[in-house]
Every structure is written in C-alpha cells, then in structure tokens.
Amino acid sequence: MSEDEKRFDVVSHNLPKVDGEALARGRRVFLDDIENSPELVAGILTSPLAHAEIVDIDTSRAEKLPGVESILHYGNVPRVPHTTAGQGYPEPSPYDAYIFDNRVRFVGDRVAAVAGTSWQAVQEGLEAIEVEYNELEPILDPARSRESNVQIHPEEDASGIYDSDRNIAAHVDIEVGDPKRALDEAEVVVTQKCKTQFAQHTPIEPHVATAHLDEYDRLIIRTSTQVPFHVRRIVSQVVGVPIKKIRVIKPRVGGAFGVKQEILLEDLVSLFALRTGKKVKMRYTREEEFVSSRTRHPMEVEVRLGADKEGRLTGITMEALSNTGGYGTHSLTVLSNVGSKTLPLYNEAPSVHFYGDAVYTNMPVPGAYRGYGAPQGYFALEVAMDQLAEAVGKDPIEVRKLNHIQEEETSPIFEKLGEGKEGTVQYIHSCKLDKCIDLGAEKIRWEERDAIKRNYKTEDKARGFGISINMQGSGIPLVDLAAARLKLNEDGSFNLFVGATDLGTGSDTVLAQIAAETLGVDLDQVVVYSSDTDFTPFDSGAYASSTTYVSGNAVKKVAEDVKEQILELAANYYDLGPKDLDIAKGKLLTPAGSVDLSEMAIKTTSGEIELDQKQIEATASEVPAESPPPFAAHFVDLEVDKRTGEIEILKYVAAVDCGTAINPNLAEGQMEGAIVNGIGYALTEEMEFSDTGEMTNPSFFDYKIPNTEDIPEIEVILVESDEPTGPHGAKSVGEIGIDGAIPAISNAVRDATGIVLTESPFTPEKVWKKLNEGK
Amino acid sequence: MNITIEINDEDKEFQVKPGEILLDLLRREGYTSVKEGCKAGDCGACMVLVNGRAMTSCTLYAAQVDGKRITTLEGLNDELADSLRQEFLDVGAIQCGFCIPGVLISSYSLLTHNPNPTEGEIKAALDGNLCRCTGYIKQIEAIKNVARDLEGGNNERRREKI
C-alpha cells in the first residue's frame, strides 16, 4: 500500500471504471447501438476537387429517387459564418465555415447531404446529384500560400481571419526580454528546424450523431462529442433554433482525442430532423473519418537556443509555420500552444521570442488533437536541447536540469501567451520533474548506455538512447467553466450530475472518486450522470487536459457543500455542533458512535420531528485561476538497422508527475495510450496525398496505427506530487504522454548513428537516405 | 435467401439479401456488441467467433456462415469469459470500450486454443484488434493474468472476483 492509499479512502485506489461492466459486456451504450434503426439515415457528398467554386448544383434527379427524403446544399440552407471548433464562447477561431458554401476548399469538403430511408437510398441519392464546378488553382503548400495571389477565403462575411489576402488565418508574436541581443551575444547558439506531417486521431468509433423532434417540438441531439454544451450553442447559432429548444445528450464515446471537439455532423442531422420531422442518423465511414473530419496541424518549427558555455540558456526563439488546411478551426490556439506549452519549461532563459503563422491551404482541416501544438513544439525544442548538450560537452540530462522550471518558480511566458490571447501569471506549486528524470534514467539504464552501446556487437545495427522532457497544462485558466451538482438520496447514496464529458478516459470514474473521497463514502454510493444539456450543469467540455483538474475541483467543492449540509442537519437532530460530527466510509460519526448515513438520509425526506424536511443538494462552479502543468520525462532505448533504415524501439520509459493520480490504473492508461499514439506519430502514421490534394491512404490498411505487434516494452512511472490547487492534489495526465515520443526517438537515433531526424514520421526510407547521404 | 445459424447457442433462421455482410445482419438483428469501426477487416471491432475461431464479421457474407456456429460477446458467459472481463476491469484495460468486444473475442479464442500463451503469442492473437486508447499494455497484462490463473488451476481467485 502506498502512502497515498493510506492518506485516502477512495482516491489513489485502483477502482474499476464505473461504466466498465457495461463496456465489458458490450451493452448498448454507444450511439450507433442505442439508435440502431432510426427512421432516416443521411450521408454527405464531398468535393473531389481541392479548390473550386460550385457553379450549379442539380438535385432534381436525386429528389425523385425512391427513399430519398431530403437534400441539403448551399442553395437551401442558411448561410451563417461560424467555426466548427467546439471552443468556449467567444471562440478564438475565425468564423470562416458555413453549413454549405458555394466554394469547396479541400478534397473531402462538404457539397451536399442526402437523408433517406436506407443507406442504399442515400448512396443512390448522393450519386444522382449533379454538380458543376469551376476549378480554381489549389494551394497545397503553406509557405507558398502566404505569397500566392489565390485567396482561399475571399468571402466578405467571414470574420476573425488575421490576413485573408495572404491566406493567414492566425498570427502570434510575443517577446520577453531581449531575445535578439541574447542570441547575438550568446557564447553558444544552436539552430534546429523540424517538420511534422498530417496525422489523424482515428478513434475506433467514427463520428456519429442523431437528431429528432420530441413531443414538444424540441430538438433532441445525441452525439459522440467532447463538447455537448458547445454543440448546443453552435447548432443554435447555425440552424437558428433557440438554445432552450435544444437538448444535447452524450452517450458513451468510443474514443475522441480531440477530433470530437468539432461540430461536424450535428448541424446536418438537426436540419434534416427539422425539415422531415423524423429521427435521422449520420455516421462517418472510416474513409470519411480520415478525409473529412479533422487532423493534426502539420508544422515547420525552427528553434534557436542561445546559451553560455556551461549550457545555461540565455535566449530562445521559436518560429512556427502551421498548415491549417481549408478552415481555421483551432488555428490560433494550437499555434499559441506550440510556444505556451513548451517555452515555460526552460524558464532559465530570460529572453524569448515566439512567433508564427497558421496558414490556409487547400488541404484537409486540422483541429484539436491530443497535445494541441505541444508535440510539434517539443520536436524542435528537445532535439535542439540535445544539440546544445553536445555543443557544451555535457550530458543531455545535465543540460535539461540546468534549465528547466522548478517548484515555486514562474515563467513570463505564462502571462504573455495563453490560448490565443494573453495568459495569466502562474507560479509552479508542484514539480517533480527531476525525480521523473532520475527514475526514468535509472530504468532505461542511462548511466550504462555507453557500455551497452560498446558491447552491442553487430555491424549492421546501432544502439542509441534518447530523452525528452515535457510539460502540458491542466485546463484553460480564466476561460474554462466546469460545474457539478450533487444530491443526497434517502438511502445515503448520491447522484452526481456533471457537464464534464467522459470520452472513454474514465473521467466519470475519476470524478465519482473525488466526490466519494470528499463526502466520506464508498465509490458505489455515487451515481454519475454526465453530459446532458437539459439535466447537467454547464461544463466547457473535455479538452485541454481539463477534466480531472477543473471539473474535479467543481466536484470537490460541491461535495464539500453537501457534506456540510448533512452535518448541519445531523447536528440539529442530535443537538450537537457540526464540528462534533463527521462522515467516513459511509457512516455518520457521532460522539456516541457511528450510524449508517442512510439513517440520516431517510430523515431528510420523511419529515421527522425537529428535522427540516428538504432535498439536500448543491451546485458548484469552478473557473480555474491557474493551469498547473504536469511534467514528464520520456526515455527511449532503440536500435537502427543501418541496412534498411528501420528503427526498433527496445524499451520506452516515461515518468510523469501528474500530482495525485486519482486512479493510478487509469492515469497509467492515459500515458500508455498516448505513448503508443506518439510512437505511431513518430514512426508510421502519415496521411499521404496526390499532387491534387487527395488523400491516397484513407484506411487502417494503408494508414498504419500501432497494433499489438508494433509496441515495444513500455514502462510508465507515476511520480506523485501534491498540487495544492488541485482536487486532492491532482493535475492532468490526458495529453502530456504524446509529447515525448518524436523528440526522444530522434535523439536516440542521433545517439545511435549521428544523423539528426528532423521530419516525422521516421520511416525506414527517410532514415536510410539520411544514413547514406553523401555516400 | 434464408440461412440458419446457431447463434449464441440458439438456432435461428434469417432472411438475408444477396451480398449482405454478416456484420450488418448481426447488428440489424440486435447483436450490437459487434461494432463497426472500418468495415474493411482492418480494425477487429466486429469480431465474432465462427465455429470457435475469431473472425471479422465485416469480411464475411452472411450467406457464408449458413449452418455455422456464431458467438458474439453477448453469448460469451462462461467462466473463462467472465474471468477475462473481470481481469480487464481490474487492471484498467478498458478505456472507451469500443474495441473491447472484439478484443475479448480474440482473447477468448486464444485462451481456448492455447491456455498458456507466451507474450508473443498474445500479441499475435490480438494483432487484428486496433485500440487507440490503451496502447495495449494493460490488455496484454490482463490476458497474461487470466492465463496464469488457468495454468495454476487457480480458479478460486477467479471465483472470488466473480
């Protein structure tokens, strides 16, 4: 039993997920199962061209087909500029999207949609729509896009675009200290440019949504989403139905990773339901999920580090060029996070310059994806840190320890750069990064690496070790709002209502553990109901590593409130002071002994003498003032086959400080899943395109995500700290695990072979070419 | 055409359309533990046992299983299946759970045919089941634990958990 397990009764314990049994039995908890036979289904006609105007769209033939009930296109839907990004209002993303437009901006963009009585009728309807396009020059390269006179968003009703003449969706430029001088005067300067690819989230459950009108003509939307409250607001905005007439319900979600922070089907099912009066279901096929949903922003990031000859950083500049595809959803905030989630890590540098553009192209649309810009930033930054270590003749660990942020320290970046705007001042209250580094190094045998490499007697293969350290955040300070409601039942159990959205991460369980711990009851006394806009209070949604920290704090507050109410009532009843009483392990503790909580609970509803009869309940809100970063150190031990360029990871170790792990199994699971996702991003996953911008590998057969045969030995170490602002000491753990793989692998390959891999994914072809450059 | 399948120990007759795939038949008949993740045989979310062997139901025509024995997760209720479920829950091998029916079908098929698999054999048996949440680590651990219990004849521990 660990110290924390002794400290807590429910938190820090490996309790099975509250929804686990239903999932393990394959019960009907996913939307496609709940709505297995809707009245209508619908599909989307997508653009075969990367850039075109729609001159004419003729649906007359499709309308006459049997089974076709409704067709939507730009000519018959409202034109409302909006963003598909499910972000807090007012959204930091430009309003550059329309339900349908007379212009298409990437292969896979929406052209029309058909609802019909069967998938076959829908398919035939889609095929019978005739579209006349005026093809425009496609702009596929972001660097060219800025210089091109072809405009991707010329429409006058779009807003929030930084410079639409130059196709720049968003721009960031922040400076602290005097970075130019710092770099000019630095004793050592290293420059590193790295480039990342288009990658997809690939939740195993593709997007799915249904809508219908209930008996009172209210629009009921069920959707596999991360952001039910933002769905309600954005559907209201674009479809023109007031918020009070919309209810959004989230079922279990079959994986999301950011791609379900986007409103992609909800507007269409809503319009179809309003027009036909019938229940309509839409779901992406796997191919549509690849081509038409969202991806990760490909970027080129250049880092320059200035340091003294000891390796102490004096200045950092970071320039990012982000490809935001046809639409600017999340363009500004992901770009901001490239700097804001990376640069504070090395707060030793007094001078920092971060700047960049997110540029439109006629390519698929990136959006939110686990890590949210941090993986792209860390690639260049952490590869540069290894170059710096070599330049000053020090161990990569030593250089990092010399420069990284520590407890009670701050970074001016926290204030200068937030989510697309200024941030907030923040001091670090918990940071066990040094311990993460030390434990990780021990497990990977960092100190023995030279001997291991020396004794690795094979001419064809080279062995190498690499490190990357990272931080992330825990929610968006002074922007996010999470609320929770808790009520007592007469058997001493509680209903916990949260707007927070469990994507499969286990957040319903984590939040229930926080409530149970705070109340002093067992986990099975807390019944969670989450993410229903009619019945649960507001929550911004599951993104930005917010749920455990932000929603968790709301849950802790509401549980404290309810506990206080119970103790007050009990004190009245027993004629004691509230301080004479407590609740622990489901029992009400009185000076005279303990009674089951249910004995007091039943009295609250049954009107016994001298006890006020009332529903004990409360609602609490949380707006975080800070975003305490979790910290992690990733280590890789690998070999490179010099004949083929193939990289084989022999062992991967990651140590993470996520504060208190509310449920250690689930926290490890977040890390393990993110690490494997990161390894895929580093080695195999890449959306490939024809020279006309069409994705050529939109299937799991051709777009290679890791399977069981691809994973190395992985060891995750939870290095607990006690975050004073977090619920029971917790910080976040959802995203940080994906930040380390690319730089740690690149650094290990360099350690093995001397080549610096700067373009992900590190395919055998790329590695082999680098190995044989100049031969 | 009409086909007869023994499904989850029950003989059933179904009318199927030419070209109808088994996945679609099973889902329209209410066996919704069988998930659609790619409809191309790549992800394994739609796996069922066909005469005791794990197969993707999206790559089979319904007509191909005429006269065969099909088991979906709904029909897996013996001790081995319950042990697998319990172990998956205990070690935290389930996150979103969308892949889990297929993963459990593969795991069950593996342990039925090979009660004492090596880690390599576990990985090989599950290589057709894509999971994006867990990184597979805890799924493999859960299967190892069940196998260890099977090998040691340690049924008591499992019964306690059930």
Side-chain angles (χ1 to χ4, degrees), chain A residues 14 16-17 20-21 23-28 30 32-33 36 200-202 204-206 253-255 257 283 286 369-370 503-505 665-666 668-670 672-673 676-677 685 699-701 703 705-709 711 714, chain B residues 27-38 42-43 45 73-74 76-77 82 85-86 89-92 94-101 104 120 122-124 126-138 140:
Chain A
N14 282 322
K17 281 180 61 168
E21 183 76 19
L23 295 169
R25 292 193 176 276
R27 289 193 184 130
R28 292 186 187 196
F30 297 103
D32 206 23
D33 310 336
N36 194 24
Q200 223 270 330
H201 317 60
T202 75
I204 308 301
E205 176 202 46
V253 171
F257 315 106
R283 73 191 299 279
R286 180 55 55 189
Y369 189 165
R370 193 177 217 170
L503 313 175
T505 53
N665 268 347
L666 295 180
E668 283 171 16
Q670 284 301 303
E672 290 163 1
V676 170
N677 194 340
E685 295 183 32
S699 73
F700 279 134
F701 188 79
Y703 180 95
I705 74 168
N707 69 6
T708 47
E709 298 276 21
I711 57 166
I714 296 175
Chain B
R27 287 190 59 84
R28 82 171 153 84
E29 289 297 327
Y31 300 98
T32 51
S33 75
V34 187
K35 307 294 182 209
E36 181 181 330
C38 72
D42 296 326
C43 80
L73 187 66
E74 287 94 343
L76 274 191
N77 292 307
D82 285 340
R85 266 193 279 267
Q86 194 60 49
L89 290 171
D90 286 348
V91 305
I94 300 174
Q95 285 189 35
C96 85
F98 196 81
C99 72
I100 287 298
L104 288 174
I122 295 174
K123 285 184 171 183
L126 262 68
D127 72 353
N129 295 95
L130 296 180
C131 167
R132 193 59 146 170
C133 295
T134 67
Y136 309 104
I137 314 290
K138 295 195 188 302
I140 294 166

Side-chain angles (χ1 to χ4, degrees), chain B residues 11-57:
Chain B
D11 285 325
K12 285 202 171 177
E13 199 172 293
F14 300 109
Q15 198 171 23
V16 299
K17 289 176 228 124
E20 184 168 20
I21 64 166
L22 180 58
L23 166 63
D24 290 338
L25 169 69
L26 291 171
R27 287 190 59 84
R28 82 171 153 84
E29 289 297 327
Y31 300 98
T32 51
S33 75
V34 187
K35 307 294 182 209
E36 181 181 330
C38 72
K39 238 178 181 174
D42 296 326
C43 80
C46 67
M47 274 192 178
V48 297
L49 297 177
V50 180
N51 288 354
R53 276 190 54 217
M55 300 178 90
T56 49
S57 62

Side-chain angles (χ1 to χ4, degrees), chain A residues 106-108 286-293 364-365 687 695 698:
Chain A
F106 67 100
V107 176
R286 180 55 55 189
E287 182 175 340
E288 287 170 327
E289 188 70 28
F290 274 113
V291 172
S292 296
S293 75
V365 186
M687 296 170 70
M695 186 183 175

Side-chain angles (χ1 to χ4, degrees), chain A residues 375-531:
Chain A
Q376 294 97 317
Y378 276 120
F379 184 7
L381 181 61
E382 284 297 280
V383 171
M385 284 302 285
D386 265 30
Q387 310 269 36
L388 175 63
E390 183 179 84
V392 299
K394 285 194 170 167
D395 187 293
I397 286 183
E398 200 184 339
V399 171
R400 284 175 172 82
K401 282 191 172 177
L402 208 53
N403 290 292
H404 80 67
I405 199 163
Q406 306 276 0
E407 265 175 26
E408 303 315 326
E409 290 183 358
T410 186
S411 156
I413 309 292
F414 287 132
E415 187 183 4
K416 277 274 182 175
L417 187 58
E419 288 256 334
K421 55 178 187 177
E422 286 189 358
T424 47
V425 176
Q426 165 167 301
Y427 281 81
I428 300 298
H429 310 300
S430 61
C431 176
K432 297 279 179 271
L433 183 52
D434 277 338
K435 198 173 168 192
C436 290
I437 294 171
D438 293 343
L439 284 173
E442 190 187 320
K443 291 284 180 193
I444 207 83
R445 300 202 287 166
W446 186 263
E447 293 304 324
E448 300 156 58
R449 67 193 194 283
D450 286 337
I452 293 170
K453 282 160 63 181
R454 244 192 335 270
N455 294 332
Y456 203 59
K457 284 195 179 38
T458 155
E459 295 234 320
D460 298 328
K461 293 182 180 177
R463 183 98 171 251
F465 292 76
I467 179 181
S468 162
I469 62 171
N470 321 98
M471 56 170 262
Q472 195 82 29
S474 301
I476 310 172
L478 304 182
V479 172
D480 282 340
L481 163 65
R485 183 178 159 234
L486 187 70
K487 71 180 180 73
L488 172 70
N489 298 316
E490 57 264 48
D491 63 348
S493 67
F494 299 86
N495 291 112
L496 174 63
F497 300 90
V498 287
T501 300
D502 191 336
L503 313 175
T505 53
S507 70
D508 280 358
T509 307
V510 163
L511 296 178
Q513 282 181 266
I514 291 170
E517 180 70 42
T518 311
L519 288 162
V521 301
D522 290 340
L523 179 62
D524 64 6
Q525 292 300 96
V526 179
V527 181
V528 194
Y529 185 70
S530 60
S531 312

Side-chain angles (χ1 to χ4, degrees), chain B residues 149-160:
Chain B
D149 287 357
L150 283 177
E151 189 196 18
N154 183 6
N155 290 335
E156 264 171 46
R157 178 177 160 223
R158 296 214 309 278
R159 272 199 211 97
E160 263 170 43

